[in-house]
Amino acid sequence: MEALISKLNFKYHISGIVQGVGFRPFIYQLAAKYMLKGYVGNDGDGVILQIEGERNSITAFKRDIELLKPPLSRIDFIQEEQKELVGFKDFSIIESNESTISTMLSPDISTCRECLQELTNSKNRRYNYPFINCTNCGPRYTIIENLPYDREKTSMKKFFMCTECRMEYENPLDRRYHAEPISCYNCGPELVFQTFNGKVDKKQAVLSTVKYIEQGLCVAVKGIGGFHLVCDATNEKAVSTLRRNKHRPTKPLAVMFKNITDIKKVCSLTKKDQELILSKERPIVIVSKKRNHDLADSIAPNIDKIGVFLPYTPLHEILLRTLNSPIVATSANLSDEPIIGNALEIFKKIPLMIDAILTHDRKILNACDDSVMLNTKYETIMLRMARGYAPQSFYLKEKTSKKILALGAHQKSTITLALGNNMIISPHIGDLSSIEAFEYYTRTLDTLKRVYNFEPDVIVCDKHPKYETTKWAKQYVQEHSGVELIELQHHYAHALSCMAEYSLDEEVLAFCFDGTGYGDDGKLWGGEVFVASAYHYTRVYHFKELPLLGGDKAVREPKRVALSLLYECFTLEEILSMECEILKFYSIDEVKLLHKMFKRSINSPKSSSLGRLFDGVYALSGHMNDLGYEGESGAILETISKKSKTKATYKYSLKDGVIDYKMMICQILQDSNKEIIAKKFIFTISKIIIEISKEHPNIPVVLSGGVFQNNVLVSQVTKELKKLGRRYYIQSKTPVNDGGISLGQAYYAVKKYR
Ligand code: ZN
Ligand code: ZN
Ligand code: FE
C-alpha cells in the first residue's frame, strides 16, 4: 500500500528536434533503466510521454533526458504536468499521431562511428554497403516527402524491408529502431556505374569509378543531396579540364580527403578547423593551404585557402578508401543553375562535362548542397548553410501570431517560415538568375509549405523591385486577398538576420557591408551603418557613393570601379597626366567618354557598396583581370595582405554620416607594393568600424553582410572590439551573406506580430 502512495505520475511534452532522431527508443530505454511505467509517442508538436514511478527515479529520469539525449536531437522546451495515477502495467512506444504537423524537419547527417565500424568489418552483413545508416546518421531532409518522418513518406518507400532489416527496425533496443532509411544488400538501393557508350556495371560500380578517376577522367557521383563532379585532385589536367567544361575559370573547388591526416599533409589546420571538419555535420571548411602540396594548382588559383571536407556518406567513404588520392568534389550543375539531383538531368544537361556516372536508385526528393564554413581568429562563420545544418529551426520564446513567409533576396537565396514558436530556415538555394534556379526555389518553397502544412498570412520580401522573389511576392498577394506584404530594406534585413540568430531585442549598432542591395533612396547600398532594433533603423553612416560605370559591367570589371575612384578624386586633366596602370587599358578617348558618363550619371548607378570599393582598390593596386566570381577581389586582397607585416592604415574622414575614402585613394596611388596596400586597406576598414563604434559606446555591435567573409578583416575587427571590451555579434549558425536575409526578414515580421 505504501509503495503505491509514494508513486507519482507526470506527463511531459518535449519540443525541439525530437522526431526521427531516436528519441522514443531513448526514452524507452531510460524508462527501463529507472523502472518507470507509461508510454512515449510522437505528436505533431514533438514527443509526448507519461511516466509513473518513484519520485527519485522520476527526478533522475528527467535529468538524464537533458544529459544523455540522442546526438541528433535538440530540446527546445519541456512542458511538465503532474497527473493522477493511472497504474500503467509496462512502458510502451505508441504510434504516430498525425493531427497537427508543425514539428521539425531535420538535416542529413554524416555516417556515424558505429556504422563506419560495421561498414569496414568484413564479418558484418553490411560490410562495404554504400547505404548503411542508423537512427543517428544518414539522409533525412533529402529523402523526405512529408511529415511525420516515417518510411512511407520518404523516397525509401519503394524498397521493401527484408526480414532482418524489419527486425532491427521494430526492436526498440536496436540502434536501427525506426531508422527510416534502413536497408541492406538484400533490400535496399543499388549502385550503378554507367558510361556514355552504354556500358553499365552494377557489381564493380565503385571499382569502375575509381579506375576512371585514376585515369584523369571526370565522373558524376550521386551524393546525399545531389551529384558531384569528381576527379583526381592531384591531376592538373583533370582539374583544369573540369574547370573548362564547367565554365568556372577561377572560383575555388572543394576537395574531399580520405581522412584528417591526409588533409594535414597539404593544409595548416587550427584546432577549431579540425573539430569542424570532423563534426557530424561534415561541412566544407575553408582552411590555409600549405606552400608545398601535391594538389593541382588550378583548384584554388591565386589564393592561399582551400575548401576541404571528409566523406560524409558510406558511398564517399568506400570511394575514398579505394582511391589513392583526394578528389575534387564540386556540385554538378550548369553555372547559375541549382545542383542536379537525378541521373536523367545529368545526361541531358551536362553530358560534355563528364565521362561516366555513378548513381543509384534512391531518389533525392529535396536537393541540398554542401555547407561551407570558415574559422576566423575568434569566430566561426557560416558561408553556405545546407547539408548537415539546414533546414534549421530557431526557437521563439514568444509565439508569433501570424504565419510568416520570408523570401530572402536574389543571390544565395534561402526561405524562412515562421509559425508558432519556430522560425525554420531552408538550405541554401542559390542565385536566382536562371529559370531553373527559380523553379528549384519554388520547389523548395512547396516542400516547406507541404511539410509544415503552411499557408502564409504575411509575406516579407526585399525592396528591390527587380528581384524575382519580389515579383513573386507581389503577384502572390494580388492573388490571395488578406495576405499582407512587407518589403524590407536589404541591409536592415542583414542586421536583423544577425539579431535573429542571437535573439537580440535591443538597439544595436549594425555594420552591414556587402556587394549590393536596394536602398531606401533607390540607390545601390552596401556600406551601411545603422542604429537599429527589431522595429526600426536609422542610417547613421554610409560609404561615399560612387557611380558604377556601366552598371552591372562594373561588377565584373574592377578596372571600371577604379576609374570611377579616380574620377571621384581627381580632375580629368590630372588623370590624363597620371602614371597609373589601369589607364594603360583605356585609350584617351575612352577615358574622356567614361568621364562624361561619370559626370552626367549616364548608365552609372550610384552605389555605397563596400564590396565595390574592394573591387576598386583591387584594380588600383595593380590587379587588372576581370573577376571570375563574386568576391574574388576580396579573397585575393585577403591572401596577399597576409604577406605584409604593416599595421599602418590609410586616412579617411567621417563627416555628416559619410565615410569618405578620397584621402585613402590618393595615398594608395603613392604606395607601390600590392601586399602593403591590401593590408593597409583592410585594416583601414577595421579602423573605421572601431571609430564609429566608439561614437556609439553603449550598444552592442552587429557585423553582417558578405564583406564579413573576409578572414583578415573579421579577425582584426573582432580583436579590436574585444580590446575595447565591446559586446559584438557575427553570425555563425546562419549565413553572414545574403543567405541570411530571409531569416532577418522573418524576424522583423515575428517581432511585429508577436
Ligand atoms: Zn549510423
Ligand atoms: Zn534488408
Ligand atoms: Fe547583401
Side-chain angles (χ1 to χ4, degrees), residues 241-257:
T241 306
L242 186 153
R243 271 202 184 286
R244 217 174 27 251
N245 289 340
K246 210 185 166 190
H247 303 293
R248 180 160 155 158
T250 48
K251 194 174 180 185
L253 299 166
V255 181
M256 186 185 278
F257 292 77

Side-chain angles (χ1 to χ4, degrees), residues 111-112 114-115 133-137 175:
T111 319
C112 74
E114 284 92 346
C115 284
N133 64 72
C134 72
T135 313
N136 293 331
C137 75
R175 62 182 206 86

Side-chain angles (χ1 to χ4, degrees), residues 215-368:
Q215 283 168 28
L217 300 171
C218 177
V219 185
V221 176
K222 190 169 180 178
I224 214 162
F227 278 87
H228 279 138
L229 297 179
V230 168
C231 74
D232 181 348
T234 61
N235 182 330
E236 178 56 49
K237 202 170 151 235
V239 179
S240 42
T241 306
L242 186 153
R243 271 202 184 286
R244 217 174 27 251
N245 289 340
K246 210 185 166 190
H247 303 293
R248 180 160 155 158
T250 48
K251 194 174 180 185
L253 299 166
V255 181
M256 186 185 278
F257 292 77
K258 187 183 302 184
N259 52 39
I260 195 94
T261 318
D262 280 9
I263 299 183
K264 282 191 202 160
K265 284 179 195 155
V266 293
C267 303
S268 314
L269 303 184
T270 63
K271 200 170 157 254
K272 275 202 306 191
D273 288 337
Q274 284 193 51
E275 284 168 8
L276 198 53
I277 293 167
L278 288 164
S279 69
K280 64 183 190 307
E281 290 83 5
R282 296 272 158 114
I284 294 173
V285 183
I286 311 284
V287 298
S288 304
K289 219 169 16 178
K290 282 185 181 165
R291 285 250 167 93
N292 294 318
H293 58 77
D294 57 359
L295 295 178
D297 283 326
S298 62
I299 283 176
N302 306 320
I303 58 175
D304 63 349
K305 302 178 292 184
I306 182 175
V308 300
F309 59 152
L310 292 175
Y312 53 84
T313 69
L315 176 57
H316 290 125
E317 193 71 40
I318 299 166
L319 195 60
L320 268 292
R321 275 167 201 238
T322 322
L323 273 161
N324 284 319
S325 51
I327 53 174
V328 164
T330 180
S331 307
N333 59 354
L334 288 169
S335 54
D336 282 343
E337 288 191 10
I339 185 167
I340 297 177
N342 77 64
L344 281 176
E345 293 266 290
I346 292 277
F347 286 114
K348 208 171 86 192
K349 289 198 161 164
I350 59 165
L352 299 178
M353 288 187 204
I354 55 166
D355 302 292
I357 176 171
L358 178 64
T359 183
H360 57 74
D361 51 352
R362 185 179 72 201
K363 249 194 190 165
I364 296 171
L365 294 179
N366 307 299
C368 192

Side-chain angles (χ1 to χ4, degrees), residues 619-686:
L620 269 191
S621 63
H623 301 271
M624 294 302 128
N625 58 306
D626 292 345
L627 298 181
Y629 58 96
E630 195 221 352
E632 186 175 19
S633 63
I636 292 179
L637 288 179
E638 180 193 325
T639 294
I640 62 172
S641 74
K642 291 179 198 157
K643 293 180 187 152
S644 162
K645 292 229 156 34
T646 183
K647 291 204 158 71
T649 52
Y650 290 118
K651 284 189 182 146
Y652 57 86
S653 77
L654 301 178
K655 213 178 127 198
D656 302 328
V658 175
I659 306 165
D660 191 336
Y661 43 75
K662 265 188 181 175
M663 287 184 283
M664 175 175 80
I665 300 303
C666 297
Q667 287 184 310
I668 286 176
L669 289 172
Q670 278 147 29
D671 270 340
S672 57
N673 182 309
K674 285 181 189 176
E675 293 157 11
I676 292 177
I677 295 174
K679 180 77 173 286
K680 281 167 85 174
F681 171 61
I682 295 173
F683 270 45
T684 305
I685 303 300
S686 167

Side-chain angles (χ1 to χ4, degrees), residues 125-126 160-166 168 182-188:
R125 72 185 191 95
R126 291 193 181 86
F160 191 75
M161 257 184 248
C162 71
T163 322
E164 273 173 290
C165 284
R166 179 155 296 281
E168 295 171 328
I182 189 175
S183 65
C184 71
Y185 282 110
N186 299 327
C187 66

